[in-house]
Amino acid sequence: RYFLVGSNPAETKYRVLKIDRTEPKDLVIIDDKHVYTQQEVRELLGRLDLGNRTKIGQKGSCGLSRAVSAFGVVGFVKFLEGYYIVLITKRRKMADIGGHAIYKIEDTNMIYIPNDSVRVTHPDEARYLRIFQNVDLSSNFYFSYSYDLSHSLQYNLTVLRMPLETLKTETTQTRQESFDIFEDEGLSTQGGSGVFGICSKPYEKYVWNGKLLEAVKNTVHRDWLLYIIHGFCGQSKLLIYGRPIYVTLIARRSSKFAGTRFLKRGANCEGDVANEVETEQILYDASVMSFSAGSYSSYVQVRGSVPLYWSQDISTMMPKPPITLDQADPFAHVAALHFDQMLQRFGSPIIILNLVKEREKRKHERILSEELVAAVTYLNQFLPPEHAIIYIPWDMAKYTKSKLCNVLDRLSVIAESVVKKTGFFVNRPDSYCSILRPDEKWNELGGYVVSTGRLQTGVLRTNCVDCLDRTNTAQFMVGKCALAYQLYSLGLIDKPNLQFDTDAVRLFEELYEDHGDTLSLQYGGSQLVHRVKTYRKIAPWTQHSKDIMQTLSRYYSNAFSDADRQDSINLFLGVFKPTEGKPHLWELPTDFYLHHKNTLSLSQTRRSYTYWWTTGVLKHLPLPFDEVTCAENRHKLMVKKFHKYEEGIDIHNEFFRPYELSSFDETFCLAMTNSTRDFMPKNVGIDPSPFTVRKPDETGKSVLGNKSNREETVLQRKTAASAPPPPSEEAVSSSSEDDSGTDKEDEGAVSQRSTPVKVTDTGDNTKITENVVQSTKDVYGVNLSDVPSEDDLTIYTRFVQLGQSQHKQDKSSQQFDSKQHLDRFINLIPISSFSQDDIYEVQPPRADRKSIEIFHAHIQAGRGNTQPLGKDDFLIYREYIRNRYM
């Protein structure tokens, strides 16, 4: 037998699984559902070790031996012989959300379960094993023990706000369905000291090991089930004058209709599209960690292939194979299924940003646009006008080729309108200062406002043909716009605007480029070809050669290695199951029938052509149906009661882990990208704000402390000084306005291009002036003239004379006592009295007598004068020892 022993992070509670190795084909797992202490599990393993020896006292291989140490179970898989268990043997922390750690899988181990004595060998087993292991689990697979990565932050925190009455009824139902005598052990005697914990079922679309856990899902305790996602996860620290703000980017790749670039296009019969990725940017103040007390904000957007039946034939070996529509779909059946899924998960409005080419010599990408417009027009006939799907076509390639047009300016206008329609999620109400002095843009913001904050309703769905390069840049611009609103909502900036070439945007751009490269490698076989700098037209000349290499790499991958990768994905996700007597995976001419289930069996129920949405979805719009409190959604939740002193719900222990020996060098929060260390210029006298526009050559990565780099920087600035001045921003903006065919830009829109470098020459020595002293226009909003007018001088002179005559009084009349003096001059009356956020309401803290005694005792202990322990101290220490070690 194999014994699988699992523990909580503090190693105070254990569970044990018994896996039978005598069955050659079946998986037999016994879970006793009992929670063991450290002492109990040692005794259990000791008895097993003793019982498995041939003679008492004999040591050797016949006893109990440790086969492997692991961090979690990915799942169980079977090909043509027995079952394998897939274990995570190496992990790396990638992010932290509210004290919940997110890990990346670094290495895995597959162990064959049946004994060699009962093993029935098959000649094709090794080949299937090799294909399965082609899915590299060490590249971009993520998991978390305590946070549901398959759902958005908005969903996870909305579930936490469910009313207590609902939880109590659900608890009684859960206990009746699967009663476990050890589950709530010791809680009934404690009275009202219980804490409710909610566990939601994962969103299956984004779970990649769902099929691997299917064999044990109903037999083992849910603590054993570890769901993994595939995509991207990155986190950076934005320091705002020392205040840590964590910016996190999580991309979830869909496991439905998953595959590689040319082999998976369009959608399948169930409305799942190829290359569908949900990207979520999470922003929170890291100085307060808990979900209930902290400030959290998130924004979600989606990319995915055009939801139609279409494909590209790669047998011709052309770089751009012709696009063909495979099936006629006059009633937009596939698109209806796809948008129905989106309405359930995101609510309304659904906004489609279509970036494919509109003008082509030979009709290629335009085929998709025409069909998509027809599908959206058909579906919108039956939706209420306020919840209609919004379609925005924008030929990004045409605008990129134009020398007069600034692509990112046009995208920023689209992004602004999109974020205003969907809103974003924030878990705290608007601050009083933003209610008192509201920004014009803030009042126009959409979404759904609740007493506890704001909810995002609806989502932006961006697509081009591949959903890689153009899509990533468009998503970055929308994310940048949303980031500004998120920072404003948390009270970190005074206006919801972010400029390019600031430390904050550089940090965010680097995150998005890593995100784009990772997703591009997974689907297309190479990194991004066109980046944000390419569209800003500030990319260095060396970038062109890199782009050519990435294009060649992508072409090679698509031509030679994509078919093998597709087979591996099909086997890993359980789309293909090896069966004795049926064709093998490598013998199939196509996997079309595996992904389109309606080709093998006809559906018994036919959906309506007009009422194409799921029942109940329209009733709750614009809110997403999945987040509404109703009977259907309550069935997806599992509720458990904890003791309020239990370690599993102690966020301090969970995050800081005082029971572990930790090294500062290995601490995650020190290792992550930091705006001050990695992006802020190292020059003395620089404004440390991450929202200050920097010069293009001034970053923490290029301006380092060594002499050669400093000289190089000065040389670059001198070159910039001698170069002709760049065209003004207004000229660029206005010229791009004339060229626009589809969008209208607001008046006075400021271009977000890089700020020109200003250098002044004084005498023979060229001095580079740092932008330390700001102009009066920047500080006060007006330009002060050099010489005041005569009328202004007269008024000022009279004002001074009045002030002088006011203070000409007899000295004897100025003899007040000190109290009157303070009352008259220091105790100023505030101009207005606010109910909150007011500096006049702040009172100095008053320490009680006990606190002062504790503080003095602490001081004395530091000097070596320790006080004898009292009775209460001994009782607390004894309780701690009993809970920790006994």
Side-chain angles (χ1 to χ4, degrees), residues 792-811:
D792 293 338
L793 276 172
T794 310
I795 292 168
Y796 181 68
T797 309
R798 287 176 60 193
F799 171 75
V800 171
Q801 287 171 350
L802 280 169
Q804 288 173 346
S805 61
Q806 176 73 24
H807 292 289
K808 284 181 182 176
Q809 295 179 11
D810 189 26
K811 287 183 181 180

Side-chain angles (χ1 to χ4, degrees), residues 376-582:
V376 171
T377 308
Y378 173 80
L379 296 175
N380 273 342
Q381 294 176 90
F382 313 109
L383 279 175
E386 64 272 17
H387 302 310
I389 300 166
I390 300 167
Y391 179 75
I392 305 172
W394 193 61
D395 187 347
M396 191 166 171
K398 183 190 84 172
Y399 280 88
T400 307
K401 289 173 185 173
S402 168
K403 291 181 180 177
L404 300 174
C405 176
N406 187 339
V407 178
L408 299 192
D409 274 356
R410 311 298 301 158
L411 272 175
S412 65
V413 174
I414 296 171
E416 194 73 47
S417 66
V418 164
V419 176
K420 278 180 182 175
K421 286 186 177 77
T422 61
F424 62 95
F425 169 72
V426 62
N427 75 332
R428 52 173 268 180
D430 295 350
S431 57
Y432 190 67
C433 58
S434 63
I435 297 170
L436 197 68
R437 297 182 296 277
D439 190 87
E440 291 176 13
K441 289 159 69 174
W442 185 254
N443 290 335
E444 298 168 10
L445 197 62
Y448 195 80
V449 182
V450 290
S451 60
T452 53
R454 289 175 174 269
L455 299 177
Q456 179 181 344
T457 57
V459 73
L460 173 69
R461 184 196 190 281
T462 313
N463 72 269
C464 48
V465 176
D466 296 323
C467 304
L468 297 178
D469 302 347
R470 286 173 279 181
T471 299
N472 199 67
T473 303
Q475 283 196 331
F476 164 73
M477 288 304 295
V478 175
K480 172 177 163 289
C481 178
L483 182 70
Y485 280 102
Q486 289 175 286
L487 288 163
Y488 180 79
S489 70
L490 299 184
L492 301 168
I493 52 176
D494 58 347
K495 289 193 175 181
N497 288 321
L498 283 178
Q499 299 291 330
F500 273 109
D501 294 317
T502 57
D503 297 343
V505 173
R506 280 173 174 162
L507 176 139
F508 189 63
E509 184 182 332
E510 189 177 81
L511 259 181
Y512 245 98
E513 290 211 344
D514 291 346
H515 158 268
D517 283 338
T518 305
L519 298 182
S520 184
L521 271 167
Q522 291 163 11
Y523 183 64
S526 78
Q527 293 183 342
L528 290 172
V529 175
H530 302 300
R531 301 170 180 277
V532 176
K533 285 185 176 65
T534 311
Y535 290 106
R536 284 184 74 193
K537 297 177 182 175
I538 61 165
W541 62 271
T542 51
Q543 186 64 42
H544 299 299
S545 59
K546 288 180 185 174
D547 290 351
I548 293 166
M549 289 306 297
Q550 294 298 346
T551 307
L552 292 173
S553 171
R554 191 176 287 185
Y555 177 70
Y556 175 83
S557 176
N558 300 155
F560 300 108
S561 62
D562 276 6
D564 293 337
R565 284 173 60 209
Q566 185 65 57
D567 285 346
S568 304
I569 291 168
N570 289 341
L571 188 62
F572 184 86
L573 292 173
V575 177
F576 176 86
K577 291 181 180 174
T579 313
E580 194 70 52
K582 289 193 176 180

Side-chain angles (χ1 to χ4, degrees), residues 174-343:
T174 310
R175 284 179 64 95
Q176 287 166 3
E177 287 167 13
S178 58
F179 183 67
D180 178 6
I181 57 170
F182 300 108
E183 193 73 42
D184 293 336
E185 189 178 359
L187 289 179
S188 55
T189 58
Q190 300 293 334
S193 62
V195 175
F196 288 103
I198 308 174
C199 177
S200 59
K201 286 185 180 175
Y203 193 65
E204 289 180 8
K205 184 186 236 181
Y206 298 116
V207 173
W208 275 65
N209 62 335
K211 292 288 183 185
L212 301 179
L213 292 172
E214 216 168 45
V216 296
K217 193 163 64 173
N218 299 321
T219 55
V220 302
H221 191 272
R222 61 175 173 265
D223 287 352
W224 287 104
L225 304 177
L226 192 66
Y227 295 101
I228 64 172
I229 65 161
H230 184 37
F232 173 80
C233 179
Q235 189 170 57
S236 296
K237 185 191 291 185
L238 182 66
L239 276 173
I240 305 174
Y241 293 104
R243 187 175 179 182
I245 306 297
Y246 284 3
V247 183
T248 315
L249 209 58
I250 298 174
R252 309 172 184 92
R253 182 174 287 285
S254 170
S255 61
K256 311 289 184 186
F257 204 51
T260 52
R261 187 182 175 204
F262 285 126
L263 298 175
K264 286 289 159 283
R265 294 296 213 190
N268 66 3
C269 62
E270 295 177 349
D272 301 308
V273 298
N275 194 22
E276 184 173 8
V277 182
E278 179 181 301
T279 300
E280 180 179 22
Q281 61 189 60
I282 299 172
L283 192 81
Y284 75 94
D285 187 345
S287 52
V288 181
M289 232 175 279
S290 98
F291 277 143
S292 52
S295 302
Y296 290 80
S297 176
S298 77
Y299 184 76
V300 177
Q301 47 186 325
V302 177
R303 68 171 71 184
S305 192
V306 180
L308 305 166
Y309 285 123
W310 65 280
S311 62
Q312 285 178 281
D313 182 16
I314 55 169
S315 60
T316 55
M317 294 291 287
M318 293 168 62
K320 285 188 179 179
I323 292 171
T324 54
L325 294 169
D326 299 332
Q327 293 181 34
D329 194 5
F331 299 107
H333 176 68
V334 178
L337 288 167
H338 178 67
F339 292 124
D340 180 35
Q341 285 180 18
M342 295 189 76
L343 283 173

Side-chain angles (χ1 to χ4, degrees), residues 40 96 210 606 670:
E40 287 171 346
D96 186 272
R606 178 171 287 185
L670 295 179

